[in-house]
Amino acid sequence: MNSKPSPTAETRSASREFVMRFSPTPRGARLARRLVADRLDAWGHPHTSTINETLTLITAELTANAVRHGHVPGRDFEVRLTGTSGALRVEVSDTRTERVPLPPDDAPPADAESGRGLVLVAALADEWGTTPRVNAPGKTVWATLGLL
């Protein structure tokens, strides 16, 4: 007998969760983004749906920031994706305590090479913010997307 729940059983579940750690490299960030997109697809939000594309973009920005600004040698970052019937939430945790992102006031100058990631997250997410990690050093940057 197969002890794994079928994708249809997982899709009907009231609350879903996916958690994984990744190496703090561009490759780790790409893998995190792909696995979030695949998990959303398994939860009934196809790859080509607005929900999947939006949350995958948010995940890409948060994981890129974890690699670029939250990297501590020898420490992975963690992605947690949770879903309920009303919302999806992605959390990206790293071990860098002193580099907490601030809410973007305005878009960066047009010639700036960076600084647009959190502007995108703020524009796409229903809510976003940061919290200290529980039981570990560092911070968690999270974003939610309503399904209603």
Side-chain angles (χ1 to χ4, degrees):
M1 182 171 166
N2 187 356
S3 64
K4 288 185 178 180
S6 69
T8 55
E10 186 176 337
T11 302
R12 284 181 284 195
S13 139
S15 179
R16 298 161 286 209
E17 183 176 58
F18 166 77
V19 181
M20 187 173 269
R21 289 186 176 188
F22 299 90
S23 64
T25 63
R27 175 181 251 172
R30 279 192 309 272
L31 180 58
R33 182 188 74 231
R34 290 189 67 187
L35 291 176
V36 164
D38 289 346
R39 183 55 50 125
L40 289 169
D41 184 66
W43 289 353
H45 304 286
H47 287 281
T48 57
S49 70
T50 301
I51 294 289
N52 192 311
E53 290 176 349
T54 301
L55 203 59
T56 299
L57 177 56
I58 290 170
T59 301
E61 294 300 335
L62 297 183
T63 58
N65 283 351
V67 169
R68 183 170 186 175
H69 304 294
H71 175 79
V72 173
R75 305 269 176 111
D76 293 341
F77 70 90
E78 181 181 274
V79 174
R80 177 180 307 271
L81 176 65
T82 54
T84 63
S85 60
L88 294 165
R89 178 179 172 114
V90 64
E91 301 175 357
V92 177
S93 300
D94 63 55
T95 55
R96 196 90 184 251
T97 305
E98 75 280 6
R99 298 197 71 183
V100 177
L102 300 172
D105 292 329
D106 294 311
D111 61 347
E113 292 184 18
S114 63
R116 292 172 184 81
L118 289 178
V119 173
L120 282 172
V121 171
L124 295 171
D126 292 326
E127 291 183 275
W128 79 277
T130 62
T131 57
R133 287 183 75 189
V134 177
N135 301 323
K139 66 185 168 301
T140 298
V141 184
W142 56 269
T144 59
L145 194 59
L147 298 175
L148 301 176

